Amino acid sequence: FVKPVGAMSMDDPIRIRGSKGNHVLILIDGKRINGEASASNARELERIRLDNVERIEVMKGSASSLYGSDAIGGVINIITRSPEKTQLEIYTSYRSLEGEGSVKNNLGFYFESKKQGSFAWNLSAGRNHINPLSLTPNTTEYVHGNEIPVKFKGVWDVKKDQKITFELGYLKEDLDMKDKTNRTEYDNERWDYSLEYAGKTGKNDWQVRYYGSEYEKNYTTYRKTTGIKSGKKKKKNTSNVLEGK
């Protein structure tokens, strides 16, 4: 079950066999995402850009023995594109959710280079803009603003059936939200990095990979009537993983 994520509905946009959103694990190229420390995968779903997606794999049912309790409902693994030929794609999109009025427009590009010697690479970047939604004029405006994602992938063929893959991603968010008494500004940044060595030996596949992520969230609150700062908080999540199979 998948439903659109609007400014009013940030909970459980994905369910598999009746499970809650926090029991469906979202992976990118088999890697866990470091983001909101919450029980919802709504924000992470919105941050994924389809321009760089090759395919999506869905594992229904419990996968907790392999991935932990956050995969009781299932796993969604998003496989990103690998460079194959020289091409440039420029895209734009506009979305409006009827009944909620949430509007989002995207602008970006995807470029990949064919192999030069034993090395190939791709790069994607863009801007996501979310317009403010106010169900009660001059009272409440839900999360709105700009998101700027950038991702680079480089693939080096070391020898036949062996390759090294390096990935670097960056996400910048400048968002605002208003309620009856306060206005909150969000200034968020995330760096993702990955280094993988994989190959085949006879009938066996093998892989050694290190990946990590740093996500920093800063938010400042102001009194809506006076503009005086009433609070400021900073949170930072860091994850590092070394795995082999």
Side-chain angles (χ1 to χ4, degrees):
F1 170 77
V2 179
K3 69 177 181 180
V5 180
M8 286 287 288
S9 57
M10 298 302 291
D11 60 326
D12 293 345
I14 294 181
R15 295 188 180 189
I16 297 179
R17 295 181 175 176
S19 63
K20 293 186 177 181
N22 60 322
H23 290 154
V24 177
L25 178 63
I26 299 177
L27 305 174
I28 297 181
D29 294 324
K31 296 173 289 190
R32 292 175 179 267
I33 303 171
N34 179 24
E36 303 290 338
S38 67
S40 172
N41 54 28
R43 291 295 301 130
E44 294 306 332
L45 183 68
E46 285 288 274
R47 287 169 174 152
I48 297 169
R49 301 179 63 84
L50 294 179
D51 58 288
N52 197 27
V53 173
E54 178 182 306
R55 67 183 188 276
I56 299 175
E57 301 174 345
V58 179
M59 180 188 300
K60 298 179 180 180
S62 177
S64 57
S65 60
L66 183 61
Y67 294 103
S69 61
D70 48 354
I72 292 176
V75 177
I76 297 175
N77 187 20
I78 299 169
I79 309 298
T80 61
R81 298 163 69 173
S82 293
E84 296 179 352
K85 59 183 180 180
T86 300
Q87 62 176 327
L88 173 64
E89 300 175 5
I90 299 175
Y91 63 90
T92 182
S93 65
Y94 175 88
R95 187 187 72 181
S96 176
L97 301 182
E98 183 178 355
E100 292 187 3
S102 178
V103 175
K104 186 171 184 179
N105 57 77
N106 300 331
L107 177 67
F109 75 89
Y110 170 83
F111 175 81
E112 70 178 43
S113 170
K114 68 178 181 180
K115 189 180 298 183
Q116 303 290 333
S118 58
F119 182 76
W121 60 277
N122 63 25
L123 175 69
S124 64
R127 188 204 69 164
N128 303 332
H129 178 73
I130 307 171
N131 287 346
L133 165 67
S134 180
L135 299 184
T136 306
N138 301 319
T139 301
T140 302
E141 289 183 359
Y142 297 95
V143 175
H144 59 279
N146 294 314
E147 301 172 334
I148 300 176
V150 182
K151 185 172 183 180
F152 171 85
K153 176 187 282 189
V155 181
W156 177 34
D157 291 331
V158 181
K159 57 177 70 175
K160 183 180 179 180
D161 295 330
Q162 293 187 24
K163 64 181 180 181
I164 293 176
T165 303
F166 170 74
E167 294 180 85
L168 181 64
Y170 174 73
L171 174 68
K172 173 68 173 178
E173 294 179 319
D174 290 312
L175 305 171
D176 289 278
M177 185 175 70
K178 297 178 182 178
D179 57 25
K180 293 181 179 180
T181 57
N182 298 309
R183 176 176 64 87
T184 304
E185 296 180 353
Y186 295 90
D187 180 15
N188 307 331
E189 283 188 309
R190 182 169 72 191
W191 287 95
D192 300 300
Y193 38 87
S194 173
L195 182 63
E196 174 187 304
Y197 190 20
K200 297 180 180 180
T201 304
K203 296 182 179 180
N204 300 315
D205 296 335
W206 54 269
Q207 176 194 71
V208 178
R209 176 167 62 187
Y210 164 78
Y211 67 92
S213 178
E214 294 184 2
Y215 177 60
E216 185 174 298
K217 183 174 183 178
N218 298 278
Y219 50 101
T220 306
T221 303
Y222 301 88
R223 292 295 182 186
K224 191 174 178 180
T225 54
T226 63
I228 298 175
K229 184 189 297 185
S230 58
K232 185 174 183 178
K233 292 185 179 181
K234 177 180 178 179
K235 295 182 179 180
K236 185 174 183 179
N237 293 335
T238 302
S239 64
N240 291 281
V241 179
L242 177 63
E243 60 184 16
K245 66 178 182 180

